[in-house]
Amino acid sequence: MFYGTLDAEAPDPLRLFQLMVDHAEFNVTQPGLAQMYALLAAEACNEEHPAHAYFRDRYDRVVGFIERCLRHGVANGALRQGIDCNAVAREILAVSDGFQLQWGLSGGRWDMPGAVRGYLDRLARTLTTDG
């Protein structure tokens, strides 16, 4: 829905960041869906849970996708050399999921899209070659 607009051959990491903000803005319009996702993902940590393989594979795919975007940014000179793209991808996913959980716990009163935007802006400033 959101990420299909990225160029598969040359995924722009800064465009990815904007799409992640767009996704957070969508999620606040779907509180039940966002809360169900957070609950199922947590429950699926148990290897016996029927959704364990799905969530494990999904997290691997999402981390891989973000990592590819970051690697492309490094290769084309938009992002600094030496970035641990896998570690940054995992951080981005952890922060995103953590913000979604905090938003759910706040009853939707906390500005999750604003927090996602602020985090990704700060991250972009540290990763980009031009700050």
Side-chain angles (χ1 to χ4, degrees):
M1 176 174 183
F2 295 96
Y3 306 103
T5 62
L6 281 172
D7 181 343
E9 300 301 315
D12 178 1
L14 297 180
R15 175 77 180 127
L16 170 67
F17 290 0
Q18 181 55 56
L19 293 172
M20 292 181 76
V21 172
D22 295 347
H23 195 173
E25 289 172 344
F26 172 77
N27 282 350
V28 299
T29 70
Q30 308 293 317
L33 185 61
Q35 291 168 355
M36 180 186 68
Y37 171 84
L39 178 62
L40 282 174
E43 289 177 346
C45 288
N46 178 340
E47 291 182 4
E48 301 300 317
H49 193 279
H52 177 78
Y54 168 80
F55 279 96
R56 182 198 60 224
D57 294 346
R58 182 183 182 286
Y59 272 78
D60 287 346
R61 280 191 316 274
V62 172
V63 167
F65 175 71
I66 296 169
E67 184 177 1
R68 280 191 307 281
C69 291
L70 296 171
R71 287 190 189 284
H72 179 73
V74 170
N76 74 12
L79 301 182
R80 292 183 299 100
Q81 293 292 319
I83 294 170
D84 183 341
C85 294
N86 182 267
V88 173
R90 289 184 182 284
E91 174 189 321
I92 290 169
L93 185 54
V95 170
S96 178
D97 280 2
F99 281 174
Q100 185 167 296
L101 182 61
Q102 291 178 58
W103 174 76
L105 290 170
S106 78
R109 293 183 306 274
W110 180 64
D111 180 13
M112 177 177 60
V116 170
R117 182 179 297 105
Y119 164 71
L120 292 172
D121 180 64
R122 287 186 306 278
L123 184 63
R125 291 173 192 277
T126 66
L127 297 179
T128 55
T129 54
D130 63 2

